[in-house]
């Protein structure tokens, strides 16, 4: 029987249908290695299991606990595996991605194990009493810490928020014995594969985001945002006003009622910087704003700002970027 380190941190590693581990895994394992010994839990179909376990080890998992699960059943197989893993490892904390499925898994796991849940952390640390989660709340206006008073906290971690990476480890995989709880769960009966027409990175977890607001003026003119994003290899985001005006679909919305992002670089074009927008992007490492109103609130949080018309400034920026590539 494997002895687990006394400071083990359990990390739920999401596996994509392609067999790749989700991008969030690197940040989760990096966060875990900063406060303890990362132990990964990987649940997928038998054909993808060993490849996913190897990737988890290369991202820093000292032990990879593996379980096969029916991928047509949403969340429940992962929760069952996590319950089995927690019983075995007795971790100091459980880290899960703050993705849609991750939040479902974390909530179910916390309810089932009567654990405390801290959602949407942007960092973790350890003090004398255990693991502490750090959050950016109220539109990034406040940083707050949360900790539980009993047991191991279950913490969902915002994608892209953690920069640190764990050292690669040799693969040490252990199959888990999982007893399915038979909890009610949604089942996918059929699905249509949507052909991805974009080569841009996905907004959640993207390292660079270019976002456009009402200042772009129309759906046609919003193309300027796409062009700058393509020149930078960035994902495209938008303010709610741009979404409401029909420039882009709701899936692009960044903010309180949209996606939360923590990229290395966030460029806001024609976005005023309302608190609800800032809620979803204020933790970006570098914020660049281009707005023709020098008093726009976005400049209060921008690291670099250009007061000017996006239709004058951005084409010059794209030309400069293209010239640099030559
Ligand atoms: C409950 C609730 C939830 C919300 N959730 C969200 C959310 O998730 N995300 C979100 O974004 N908003 C959200 N909002 C809406 C939010 O309050 C703002 O209305 C919205 O963010 C404004 O979007 P905007 O900055 O694009 O538009 P505006 O506030 O209209 O700003 C447009 C900006 O473009 C500039 N501009 C105009 N033309 C140009 C030009 N040619 N060149 C350069 N600059 C130009 C203007 O100076 C202005 O600053 C929410 C609101 C509520 C009440």
């Amino acid at each position: 029987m494997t002895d687990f380190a006394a400071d083990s941190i359990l990390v739920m590693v999401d596996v994509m249908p392609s067999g790749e581990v989700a991008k969030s895994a690197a940040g989760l394992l990096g966060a875990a290695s900063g406060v303890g010994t990362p132990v990964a839990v990987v649940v997928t179909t038998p054909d993808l299991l060993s490849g996913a376990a190897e990737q988890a080890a290369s991202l820093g998992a000292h032990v990879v606990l593996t379980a096969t699960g029916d991928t047509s059943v949403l969340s429940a197989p992962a929760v069952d595996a996590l319950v089995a893993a927690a019983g075995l490892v007795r971790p100091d904390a459980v880290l899960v991605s703050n993705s849609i499925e991750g939040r479902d898994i974390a909530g179910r796991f916390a309810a089932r194990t009567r654990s405390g849940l801290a959602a949407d952390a942007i960092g973790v640390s350890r003090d004398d009493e255990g693991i502490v989660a750090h959050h950016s709340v109220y539109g990034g206006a406040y940083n707050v810490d949360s900790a539980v008073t009993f047991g191991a906290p279950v913490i969902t971690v915002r994608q892209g928020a953690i920069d640190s990476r764990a050292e690669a480890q040799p693969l040490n995989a252990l199959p888990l014995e999982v007893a399915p709880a038979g909890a009610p769960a949604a089942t996918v009966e059929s699905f249509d594969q949507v052909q991805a027409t974009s080569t841009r990175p996905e907004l959640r977890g993207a390292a660079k985001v270019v976002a456009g607001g009402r200042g772009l003026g129309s759906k046609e003119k919003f193309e300027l945002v796409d062009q700058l994003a393509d020149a930078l290899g960035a994902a495209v985001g938008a303010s709610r006003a741009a979404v409401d005006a029909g420039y882009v679909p709701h899936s692009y919305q960044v903010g309180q009622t949209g996606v939360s992002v923590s990229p290395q670089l966030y460029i806001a074009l024609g976005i005023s910087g309302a608190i609800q927008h800032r809620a979803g992007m204020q933790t970006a490492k570098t914020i660049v704003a281009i707005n023709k109103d020098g008093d726009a609130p976005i400049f209060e949080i921008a690291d670099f700002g250009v007061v000017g018309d996006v239709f004058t400034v951005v084409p010059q920026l794209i030309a400069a970027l293209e010239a640099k590539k030559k």
Side-chain angles (χ1 to χ4, degrees):
M1 191 182 137
T2 303
D3 282 332
F4 293 93
D7 65 351
S8 289
I9 306 291
L10 213 49
V11 173
M12 183 75 224
V13 170
D14 291 342
V15 182
M16 318 296 282
S18 63
E20 292 289 306
V21 302
K23 268 205 245 156
S24 56
L28 289 172
L29 288 159
S33 72
V35 292
T37 305
V39 176
V41 178
V42 171
V43 184
T44 186
T45 49
D47 53 325
L48 302 177
L49 207 51
S50 67
E54 262 169 40
Q55 292 173 62
S58 73
L59 292 171
H62 287 235
V63 183
V64 183
L65 301 172
T66 61
T68 53
D70 179 354
T71 46
S72 68
V73 181
L74 296 183
S75 304
V79 178
D80 290 337
L82 211 46
V83 169
L88 198 65
V89 176
R90 307 261 161 227
D92 283 350
V94 179
L95 304 188
V96 183
S97 167
N98 195 52
S99 60
I100 293 170
E101 193 172 10
R103 292 195 299 256
D104 188 26
I105 292 169
R108 283 167 171 255
F109 173 78
R112 198 175 312 164
T113 57
R114 301 272 184 269
S115 306
L117 174 66
D120 195 22
I122 57 163
V124 290
S125 63
R126 184 186 278 275
D127 69 10
D128 295 345
E129 292 173 38
I131 303 299
V132 180
H134 308 294
H135 311 260
S136 171
V137 300
Y138 294 124
Y142 295 93
N143 291 328
V144 297
D145 295 343
S146 62
V148 298
T149 50
F150 60 90
V154 182
I155 302 169
T156 68
V157 180
R158 189 181 295 182
Q159 290 135 296
I162 309 286
D163 287 334
S164 60
R165 295 291 178 261
E167 245 179 64
Q169 300 295 324
L171 178 60
N172 179 11
L174 263 187
L176 270 175
E177 271 178 43
V178 180
T187 306
V188 180
E189 290 185 352
S190 70
F191 64 93
D192 293 322
Q193 193 144 6
V194 177
Q195 211 62 43
T197 51
S198 170
T199 52
R200 290 192 198 113
E202 210 205 325
L203 182 55
R204 278 175 202 272
K208 295 176 207 160
V209 174
V210 179
R214 192 173 0 223
L216 270 298
S218 71
K219 186 175 180 170
E220 291 68 36
K221 291 194 205 155
F222 197 90
E223 250 182 45
L224 189 65
V225 180
D226 299 345
Q227 287 165 8
L228 179 57
D230 289 342
L232 285 164
V236 173
S239 70
R240 174 159 154 185
V243 170
D244 288 350
Y247 303 169
V248 284
H250 178 258
S251 56
Y252 286 50
Q253 185 175 318
V254 172
Q256 186 183 317
T257 43
V259 173
S260 286
V261 294
S262 275
Q264 295 295 323
L265 174 66
Y266 188 90
I267 303 184
L269 305 178
I271 292 178
S272 60
I275 190 154
Q276 296 89 353
H277 185 77
R278 287 154 63 153
M281 47 67 76
Q282 187 145 337
T283 53
K285 309 297 175 301
T286 302
I287 297 170
V288 177
I290 303 174
N291 193 305
K292 66 181 182 185
D293 175 8
D295 293 326
I298 192 77
F299 288 123
E300 292 165 15
I301 56 160
D303 299 286
F304 300 97
V306 179
V307 179
D309 190 314
V310 288
F311 299 105
T312 311
V313 178
V314 176
Q316 293 178 47
L317 183 54
I318 294 170
L321 287 165
E322 298 299 347
K324 242 180 116 185
K325 284 185 197 162
K326 284 181 189 152

